[in-house]
């Protein structure tokens, strides 16, 4: 099978706009809509109920402060990312049971990831990350394959039967720091020890969100997996999206130094 035959979307004709895993509008509608509604009630109370005007104005200011973190972009967002992500994570988890009951849990999670990706892209598109790590899950490797790739991803022979081969080949060509993990806590530990400017990670939406909230100080561009055979078995994603994310958000790896030539002594007196 030729390289790239498994891609869902060919690179030719792709927009340089990074794809989002869902629509951020759902998360933003709740994240801004609920404080906005309370602010509207507080404003009406401030004009209509003079005896509680002070409390209504305090509530109005609190609502505006609550919505204010949404406007952070670029470097300002990166400076405050840890606190912003922890707080928005509380919004996500608090309302997750409600969306589960509505049968919209997957859409809710993907909307949160899309909002995260949108802000990470805005932060790194102009000033690309110097140190980037790519974290991939072991489950994208064909289940029947017995090659050991968690210790060394380059052990993959790129047979074309799963998407891991394309990602590994791209990583070898561009000298990415690409790692494959069979446990999410191992990936988180490596990311914490490596201390990159940016992570690009593929996993199922639930694990991606756990990773984001576990390492809120490290920006992460998230690539949710497709699960055609269920959780953790022959999962897949589009390596073209990974390539585009690396080209857009990360600086190229430095060239390897040429091999040192031995000192030539012939002809020297």
């Amino acid at each position: 099978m030729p390289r790239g035959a498994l891609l869902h979307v060919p690179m030719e004709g792709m927009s340089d706009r990074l794809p989002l895993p869902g629509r951020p509008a759902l998360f933003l509608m709740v994240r801004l809509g609920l404080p906005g509604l309370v602010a509207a009630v507080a404003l009406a109370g401030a004009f209509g109920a003079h005896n509680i005007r002070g409390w209504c104005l305090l509530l109005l200011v609190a609502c505006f402060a609550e919505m204010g973190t949404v406007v952070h972009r670029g470097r300002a967002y990166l400076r405050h990312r840890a606190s912003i992500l922890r707080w928005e994570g509380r919004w996500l988890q608090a309302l997750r049971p409600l969306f589960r009951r509505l049968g919209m849990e997957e859409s809710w999670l993907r909307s949160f990831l899309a909002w995260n990706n949108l802000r990470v892209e805005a932060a790194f598109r102009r000033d690309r990350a110097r140190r980037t790590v790519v974290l991939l899950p072991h489950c994208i490797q064909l289940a029947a394959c017995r090659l050991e790739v968690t210790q060394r991803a380059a052990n993959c022979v790129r047979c074309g039967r799963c998407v891991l081969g394309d990602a590994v080949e791209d990583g070898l060509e561009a000298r990415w720091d690409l790692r494959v993990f069979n446990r999410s806590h191992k990936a988180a530990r490596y990311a914490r020890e490596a201390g990159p400017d940016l992570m690009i990670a593929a996993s199922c939406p639930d694990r991606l969100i756990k990773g984001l909230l576990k390492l809120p100080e490290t920006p992460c561009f998230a690539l949710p997996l497709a699960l055609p055979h269920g959780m953790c078995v022959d999962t897949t994603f589009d390596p073209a999206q990974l390539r585009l994310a690396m080209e857009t958000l990360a600086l190229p790896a430095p060239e390897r130094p040429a091999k040192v030539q031995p000192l030539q002594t012939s002809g020297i007196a």
Side-chain angles (χ1 to χ4, degrees), residues 92-161:
L92 174 81
Q93 302 292 26
L95 294 172
R96 188 170 176 177
L98 172 63
F99 282 96
R100 184 183 300 126
R101 284 181 171 273
L102 296 173
M104 297 175 60
E105 183 178 14
E106 182 78 5
S107 298
W108 178 240
L109 298 183
R110 285 179 174 268
S111 181
F112 178 81
L113 292 174
W115 173 233
N116 168 80
N117 284 6
L118 200 64
R119 302 178 95 177
V120 169
E121 178 187 359
F124 287 102
R125 184 173 278 273
R126 288 189 177 182
D127 188 11
R128 292 190 285 172
R130 296 180 178 275
R131 173 87 167 90
T132 304
V133 297
V134 177
L135 308 175
L136 300 179
H138 181 258
C139 59
I140 64 173
Q141 182 185 18
L142 195 69
C145 180
R146 292 295 176 260
L147 293 173
E148 178 54 64
V149 295
T150 56
Q151 298 298 323
R152 186 170 181 267
N155 288 340
C156 174
V157 296
R158 281 88 79 191
C159 65
R161 298 174 64 196

Side-chain angles (χ1 to χ4, degrees), residues 12-111:
E12 292 77 18
M14 282 188 68
S15 166
D16 64 350
R17 183 74 183 180
L18 293 177
L20 298 176
R23 296 181 177 180
L26 176 61
F27 181 76
L28 282 177
M29 181 176 65
V30 175
R31 176 71 177 81
L32 294 175
L34 290 180
L37 180 62
V38 174
V41 173
L43 184 61
F47 283 102
H50 299 289
N51 56 328
I52 59 169
R53 175 176 292 176
W55 291 106
C56 289
L57 290 176
L58 284 175
L59 183 58
L60 185 64
V61 171
C63 289
F64 282 130
E66 170 63 25
M67 294 186 288
T69 59
V70 175
V71 304
H72 286 301
R73 289 290 188 276
R75 297 289 107 182
Y77 168 67
L78 294 181
R79 284 195 300 272
H80 301 286
R81 174 181 165 82
S83 58
I84 290 173
L85 194 58
R86 288 191 185 100
W87 184 246
E88 292 190 339
R90 294 189 182 101
W91 276 87
L92 174 81
Q93 302 292 26
L95 294 172
R96 188 170 176 177
L98 172 63
F99 282 96
R100 184 183 300 126
R101 284 181 171 273
L102 296 173
M104 297 175 60
E105 183 178 14
E106 182 78 5
S107 298
W108 178 240
L109 298 183
R110 285 179 174 268
S111 181

Side-chain angles (χ1 to χ4, degrees), residues 137-244:
H138 181 258
C139 59
I140 64 173
Q141 182 185 18
L142 195 69
C145 180
R146 292 295 176 260
L147 293 173
E148 178 54 64
V149 295
T150 56
Q151 298 298 323
R152 186 170 181 267
N155 288 340
C156 174
V157 296
R158 281 88 79 191
C159 65
R161 298 174 64 196
C162 69
V163 294
L164 178 61
D166 282 335
V168 168
E169 187 163 342
D170 287 334
L172 290 174
E173 289 178 359
R175 301 180 303 281
W176 299 343
D177 183 358
L178 183 149
R179 309 291 172 124
V180 180
F181 293 96
N182 56 4
R183 293 290 185 272
S184 58
H185 71 272
K186 293 180 181 179
R189 183 174 60 195
Y190 174 76
R192 186 178 288 110
E193 292 172 353
D197 300 318
L198 173 67
M199 300 182 293
I200 298 180
S203 191
C204 58
D206 183 65
R207 294 304 173 94
L208 285 172
I209 286 170
K210 286 181 180 178
L212 288 177
L213 299 182
K214 185 178 290 186
L215 294 171
E217 65 279 1
T218 305
C220 178
F221 190 85
L223 299 173
L225 297 175
L227 310 175
H229 306 287
M231 293 286 291
C232 304
V233 179
D234 293 343
T235 61
T236 187
F237 75 104
D238 189 348
Q241 295 181 2
L242 173 57
R243 286 202 300 275
L244 187 59

Side-chain angles (χ1 to χ4, degrees), residues 1-8 166:
M1 181 180 293
R3 181 174 177 267
L6 291 176
L7 301 186
H8 302 298
D166 282 335

